[in-house]
Amino acid sequence: MGSSDPVAGIRVPVGEGAERWTSRSGLRRVLLVVHNVTSAGRLLDVLPLFHDDFRVQLLVTSTGSSPFQAGVTELLADLGLPVLPWEQALRTEVDLAISASFGGQLPLIKGKLAVLSHGVGYTKKLPTADCRLPTADSRPSGESGESGESGEEPTFGLSPEWLLADGRPYVDALVLSHPEQRERLRRDCPQALPSAVLAGDPCFDRMLAAAPHRDRFRRALGVRSGQRLVVLNSTWNPEGLFGDGGGQDVLPGLLPRMAAELPADDYRLAAVLHPNIWYGHGPGQIRAWLDRARRGGLALIDPVRHWRQALLAADLVVSDFGAVSYYAAALGTPVLVAATSQDRLADGTPLADFHRTAPALRPADPLREQLERAVREHRPRPEAAEFTSSEPLRSASLLRSSFYALMGLDEPAAPALLEPLPLPPYQPPRRTAVSEVSARVRVRAGEIRLERTSGTSRGPGPDGATVHLAVHEETRDPGELEAAQVILREAEADDPRLGGAARWTSEVLRRHPHCELAVCVTGPHHCTVRTRGGRLLVLAPLPGADAEPAAYASALYAWLAAGGALPAAGRTLRLRTADGPQPFSVRPAPEAAPANAPV
């Protein structure tokens, strides 16, 4: 990347005298125009269409016109492409500029301009004044930045306010994903109709191609067999699920109720937030606001690189009027709408029609019953997939043909292909908030029915069930450790910082006299535990079982507390969750270090 200053810009591979310093000459220039991290995500989708072409030089710039500038600098640095200051980008002749949004002085770009949607088609109402452009010249000339004569807000990306400069269209290729959008364009801005290009949806195509890997994405999120993954999603508007506008503020009360009402062994929770929420308020602030939910097991998903994988892995999406809800419906996933405001949606769009009929979450009613009914009664909506893309799995070839035609360049001989969605890093739940464990035990049968939820009601269990507290050693409140019957943490079996599982479990029982079982989770399926009597045991799943090791440990504690007698050689117990039996073995573990047992 060449050095730059705001006035002169970079000198290589473009700039005054650049031909003296470049190793390859005569290249076609493709400029990626970034407005914010959200729109950049769609540009990343199409970037592979230029891979391996030695005739093309990729460049990138940022208009600076979006209010959401956080994260853009880091994203551009990760790309590793030459970054042109916006002023230099407007001075530089390019063969093709690609944008995934409007705003900024796009009509002044010196070259062909293609514009992609960064959502499900063009569905939102947004006055041009909402771009908060720094100067009047930043708007398409001839436009005031106000709504049309009707007084209604124009549809973002399909109205004259966004598509005309001096009364003339300035976009050379307006990429649409379905003929429905072309009909709205014909009605609202017929002058721009010749620029319309039907080329599908590369974002959706990447999801369709990755659908066979759904189980891998679920395992990456630590979703166990039989668990339901519930993805909470919010768009960035104040009326969205994360917002406090629209006469409601649902999320702060919804999160703790989900943790308390949805058993941990039956449900896994994840949150996908719009990048404008993530970068607008700051990732650190988002983590701070969602701290209790995260300590209860909520996974925060990368809003740029991994949200689609989470959507593919989901069993249910609790969302609002944003595009993600429609993508979920297009994938055949049940959707519950938790923020019902539709003021931001353009009338007559497929997304608006979907939200008028989609089932709504009733935050005041019991949650588990609503979620289970939504899954049970779900019927796929084929029109969602239809309106998302009229050219499924063909966007790569259609887009590349359009891009190369605009450049006047023959396409490469190799097929046009998009990048596969990457496998996200392993992100199992790490629950450091106290768990209240309700158990019903059949001692002789060695069967334990278990429900683990976040909370400390310390009341009697329902219908005669026993209740105990399982607390992570790294709990925020150390006082909770003194009331815990089960204390646990994750560590390698021979972690030198803890002295190994044998020593750590012994130390925990000496330090906390009320604790009956110390649990060292040594892997995704196994744990080493020590009883109050000093026995060191290894718990491991048997074929057909796939529960969290902490659940096996609580099941063992409940069985022992109910009078279960453990033979010297150990035995097999059966944990029961909503998914059915989860058999696991309880076997003696070799002492790795002197434990000074019995405790």
Side-chain angles (χ1 to χ4, degrees):
M1 183 185 302
S3 61
S4 66
D5 66 66
V7 178
I10 66 173
R11 295 177 59 191
V12 181
V14 295
E16 186 177 353
E19 62 277 2
R20 294 180 55 199
W21 313 107
T22 54
S23 297
R24 299 184 66 84
S25 59
L27 303 178
R28 304 297 172 97
R29 297 168 177 174
V30 174
L31 177 68
L32 306 178
V33 181
V34 172
H35 289 76
N36 49 41
V37 171
T38 306
S39 65
R42 192 56 53 94
L43 298 178
L44 296 179
D45 286 336
V46 302
L47 194 59
L49 300 181
F50 303 99
H51 284 181
D52 296 314
D53 194 337
F54 281 76
R55 302 169 297 171
V56 171
Q57 170 68 60
L58 295 169
L59 308 165
V60 64
T61 188
S62 176
T63 66
S65 60
S66 170
F68 301 99
Q69 289 301 299
V72 171
T73 300
E74 294 81 359
L75 186 144
L76 297 185
D78 287 344
L79 277 178
L81 296 174
V83 179
L84 277 66
W86 181 236
E87 294 79 5
Q88 183 184 15
L90 292 180
R91 298 194 307 265
T92 301
E93 292 187 358
V94 297
D95 297 280
L96 174 65
I98 307 174
S99 174
S101 190
F102 294 87
Q105 297 161 304
L106 294 184
L108 301 184
I109 289 177
K110 295 182 177 180
K112 300 290 187 180
L113 175 64
V115 178
L116 309 168
S117 166
H118 60 259
V120 179
Y122 296 92
T123 60
K124 300 292 181 67
K125 292 185 292 187
L126 186 70
T128 52
D130 276 4
C131 278
R132 294 175 174 84
L133 303 173
T135 67
D137 290 338
S138 296
R139 286 190 293 268
S141 57
E143 301 300 332
S144 67
E146 301 299 330
S147 302
E149 293 181 1
S150 66
E152 296 182 359
E153 294 178 343
T155 300
F156 179 71
L158 284 189
S159 63
E161 290 88 343
W162 294 103
L163 293 174
L164 303 183
D166 291 327
R168 297 187 299 273
Y170 66 91
V171 178
D172 298 285
L174 181 65
V175 178
L176 309 176
S177 61
H178 192 276
E180 174 274 331
Q181 296 154 31
R182 185 170 58 188
E183 292 308 307
R184 283 192 284 131
L185 180 66
R186 185 193 308 276
R187 180 193 67 203
D188 296 339
C189 188
Q191 305 96 311
L193 191 61
S195 68
V197 176
L198 281 173
D201 184 329
C203 174
F204 188 52
D205 280 359
R206 293 183 73 191
M207 286 190 271
L208 292 177
H213 304 309
R214 179 176 188 265
D215 288 344
R216 295 180 186 176
F217 301 147
R218 290 172 67 82
R219 288 192 293 268
L221 281 169
V223 180
R224 301 282 176 166
S225 175
Q227 276 187 316
R228 284 176 174 159
L229 173 62
V230 178
V231 171
L232 303 172
N233 165 252
S234 178
T235 191
W236 63 271
N237 295 286
E239 299 86 357
L241 176 58
F242 197 86
D244 60 357
Q248 58 186 355
D249 191 5
V250 173
L251 197 63
L254 184 64
L255 286 171
R257 286 192 54 216
M258 282 189 157
E261 296 182 32
L262 303 180
D265 296 298
D266 301 332
Y267 289 88
R268 175 82 166 108
L269 299 180
V272 171
L273 303 178
H274 193 285
N276 287 356
I277 297 176
W278 188 261
Y279 290 105
H281 291 284
Q285 180 62 70
I286 300 302
R287 288 190 287 267
W289 276 331
L290 299 181
D291 179 71
R292 178 169 60 172
R294 292 170 58 233
R295 289 187 286 115
L298 176 77
L300 273 179
I301 306 300
D302 185 310
V304 177
R305 296 168 182 83
H306 300 142
W307 67 270
R308 287 171 284 202
Q309 295 89 321
L311 207 59
L312 286 164
D315 296 289
L316 176 70
V317 174
V318 178
S319 187
D320 50 27
F321 52 86
V324 170
S325 63
Y326 203 69
Y327 276 130
L331 292 170
T333 304
V335 176
L336 273 179
V337 179
T340 56
S341 172
Q342 297 184 38
D343 294 342
R344 295 283 184 173
L345 297 180
D347 294 336
T349 62
L351 183 57
D353 293 340
F354 168 76
H355 276 276
R356 271 193 292 271
T357 58
L361 182 76
R362 299 183 301 278
D365 292 350
L367 298 175
R368 185 175 183 179
E369 177 184 343
Q370 294 185 69
L371 269 57
E372 290 179 350
R373 183 169 61 250
V375 174
R376 184 174 62 249
E377 298 179 357
H378 172 65
R379 299 293 180 272
R381 302 182 61 157
E383 70 275 12
E386 175 191 346
F387 283 115
T388 298
S389 175
S390 61
E391 300 288 349
L393 298 175
R394 295 192 63 225
S395 67
S397 59
L398 293 171
L399 285 171
R400 193 177 74 173
S401 293
S402 177
F403 293 160
Y404 275 74
L406 289 172
M407 289 191 292
L409 194 62
D410 292 336
E411 286 189 69
L417 300 171
L418 302 176
E419 195 76 24
L421 291 180
L423 185 62
Y426 183 49
Q427 190 179 356
R430 188 172 187 270
R431 298 183 176 88
T432 59
V434 61
S435 292
E436 186 172 88
V437 186
S438 172
R440 295 179 178 86
V441 181
R442 295 172 59 196
V443 176
R444 289 190 177 182
E447 184 173 285
I448 309 95
R449 182 175 290 276
L450 210 66
E451 284 193 357
R452 297 184 300 146
T453 55
S454 295
T456 55
S457 68
R458 293 178 171 83
D463 301 326
T466 62
V467 175
H468 68 267
L469 297 182
V471 180
H472 198 282
E473 190 183 35
E474 294 183 356
T475 178
R476 186 70 60 83
D477 181 2
E480 292 174 338
L481 294 170
E482 303 312 315
Q485 289 83 22
V486 176
I487 295 177
L488 65 146
R489 74 167 302 134
E490 305 87 7
E492 297 292 335
D494 56 353
D495 190 329
R497 298 170 299 171
L498 305 176
R503 177 170 294 173
W504 176 83
T505 54
S506 180
E507 289 177 354
V508 166
L509 292 175
R510 283 200 301 271
R511 189 174 298 120
H512 303 287
H514 188 71
C515 177
E516 295 290 336
L517 197 71
V519 183
C520 185
V521 177
T522 53
H525 305 290
H526 302 78
C527 62
T528 299
V529 306
R530 190 181 294 278
T531 68
R532 174 54 60 181
R535 296 189 65 179
L536 190 67
L537 306 165
V538 172
L539 312 186
L542 294 175
D546 187 26
E548 290 181 25
Y552 299 138
S554 275
L556 172 62
Y557 165 76
W559 183 75
L560 292 173
L566 191 63
R571 65 163 294 171
T572 294
L573 298 176
R574 285 194 305 278
L575 162 67
R576 277 197 170 271
T577 63
D579 188 46
Q582 307 266 2
F584 66 98
S585 64
V586 183
R587 296 289 181 265
E591 289 280 0
N596 299 322
V599 179

